[in-house]
Amino acid sequence: MRRIFGTIRPVAVSTAIEGLQQPVVMLLSLACFVLVALQPVVQLHTFGDSARLARDCGMGFLLVFGILVAAFTAGSTLAAEIRDGTAATALAKPVSRSAFLVGKFLGACAVAAVFAWCQTWAVLFAQRTAEAWVETAKTAGDRRDGLCALVSLAVPVLALGLAALVNARTRRRFALWFFGLLAALPPLAVAPLGLFARDGSWLGPSAWSAGLDLRVVPLAFQLLLLVAVFCAIATALTTRLATGPAVALSFLVLLLGFLADGAAAGGPAGKLLYALVPDAQHFWTADDLARGGSIPAARTLRCALYAATYCAAVLALGCVSFRKKDL
């Protein structure tokens, strides 16, 4: 067992590092963070619940962009290595094809986890930025948190600037520094942000309040589990397909996954569809957060077990396909 993990670990680490350095992954992460931060600022109609709209839109961006990140990471590593002959060189060493494929999957999941961590902070900031009722001695009404909006938009700009500076001074890898800063700056920004109220007034250390709705964290984790499922699907698909077709098929599976829950109540075709594609609705539990609710821990555990089972089944099929692949 130790020998197997010793074989998988270097493959996973190299895949994660290579995936984070892909320009498309960095651009997708940057675009997602900015879109999530901007959407509460440009809302014209909030339907009476601006924070919920910011949360649902942000989580939707996290899911869609996360699947793109998973598919492109799998395609730019496994499919490219098969095409260029790098995979054949790696497998010439004492590395089994199954361990190689599992390592690629775990590396893609690590990239997705870094992406989800950054975007979860973007959603937390977007919820605080969204309109809320604020009463002061002079005024009362719905107001956006302008300071939080500036902070959330400054984070990716600062991450880009500091990563470029480090790269220019030390020639260290720009993309890795960018992701490290994008992951570290939001938690650091919470400390000074908590010193100010939503209307921009000074609270001070004695009345410090982050103002972040942490109930979204379990939902973000469940969506990360769904993205991990698509990491497995994309990894299995890229044993036979190039990146473009793998991305297209991944989104087709996502669409069918959102339809599968309703199709299960139909005839045999609907039940077959429900059995084959991942039930995406099972992971989307944003409605549980409405009106002050929370996501039960048991629901998150069921999602984790479902995702682990589905990933194991898909990777088993991928291993069978990869073993028969002529490299």
Side-chain angles (χ1 to χ4, degrees):
M1 185 66 68
R2 182 178 300 177
R3 181 180 177 182
I4 295 175
F5 283 115
T7 304
I8 293 175
R9 181 181 176 183
V11 176
V13 171
S14 63
T15 301
I17 294 175
E18 185 180 353
L20 290 174
Q21 293 184 103
Q22 293 297 322
V24 66
V25 173
M26 189 182 73
L27 290 175
L28 286 170
S29 301
L30 180 62
C32 186
F33 198 102
V34 173
L35 286 172
V36 173
L38 274 178
Q39 52 94 12
V41 178
V42 299
Q43 287 174 357
L44 297 178
H45 303 284
T46 62
F47 306 102
D49 196 345
S50 180
R52 179 176 181 179
L53 186 61
R55 178 189 68 227
D56 290 354
C57 288
M59 289 301 169
F61 281 130
L62 189 155
L63 176 59
V64 173
F65 279 81
I67 291 173
L68 283 173
V69 167
F72 276 111
T73 300
S76 61
T77 55
L78 181 58
E81 289 182 4
I82 293 175
R83 183 180 64 250
D84 300 338
T86 310
T89 304
L91 292 171
K93 302 176 182 180
V95 179
S96 67
R97 294 199 178 196
S98 298
F100 186 79
L101 191 72
V102 172
K104 289 295 179 183
F105 161 71
L106 293 177
C109 287
V111 175
V114 173
F115 169 84
W117 168 268
C118 298
Q119 306 312 322
T120 301
W121 282 103
V123 175
L124 290 171
F125 284 150
Q127 281 192 281
R128 171 163 171 164
T129 301
E131 285 186 352
W133 184 264
V134 176
E135 285 191 39
T136 64
K138 297 181 180 180
T139 61
D142 289 325
R143 295 190 60 173
R144 292 188 177 95
D145 191 334
L147 179 61
C148 186
L150 289 175
V151 168
S152 58
L153 290 173
V155 163
V157 176
L158 192 58
L160 285 171
L162 291 177
L165 181 62
V166 171
N167 177 259
R169 292 287 183 87
T170 65
R171 298 299 178 187
R172 296 185 182 275
R173 297 173 181 179
F174 171 77
L176 295 183
W177 271 92
F178 167 74
F179 276 106
L181 291 166
L182 191 65
L185 287 175
L188 296 177
V190 171
L193 187 63
L195 298 174
F196 297 88
R198 292 185 61 90
D199 60 353
S201 60
W202 175 258
L203 290 176
S206 59
W208 186 90
S209 175
L212 304 179
D213 187 1
L214 297 179
R215 295 178 304 137
V216 304
V217 174
L219 174 59
F221 178 69
Q222 290 177 184
L223 294 182
L224 173 60
L225 293 173
L226 181 57
V227 172
V229 170
F230 281 93
C231 282
I233 293 173
T235 302
L237 289 175
T238 48
T239 60
R240 295 288 173 175
L241 301 175
T243 306
V247 173
L249 280 176
S250 295
F251 272 98
L252 176 60
V253 172
L254 175 66
L255 175 62
L256 294 175
F258 276 107
L259 297 175
D261 191 30
K271 294 179 180 179
L272 178 63
L273 176 66
Y274 184 77
L276 293 178
V277 301
D279 183 6
Q281 291 284 4
H282 186 70
F283 295 86
W284 184 268
T285 56
D287 292 340
D288 291 346
L289 302 178
R291 295 180 295 277
S294 60
I295 297 175
R299 180 66 179 269
T300 304
L301 180 60
R302 287 198 300 270
C303 288
L305 293 174
Y306 181 94
T309 304
Y310 199 95
C311 287
V314 172
L315 288 175
L317 294 176
C319 289
V320 172
S321 172
F322 195 43
R323 286 175 182 174
K324 298 181 180 179
K325 177 74 174 179
D326 185 9
L327 299 179

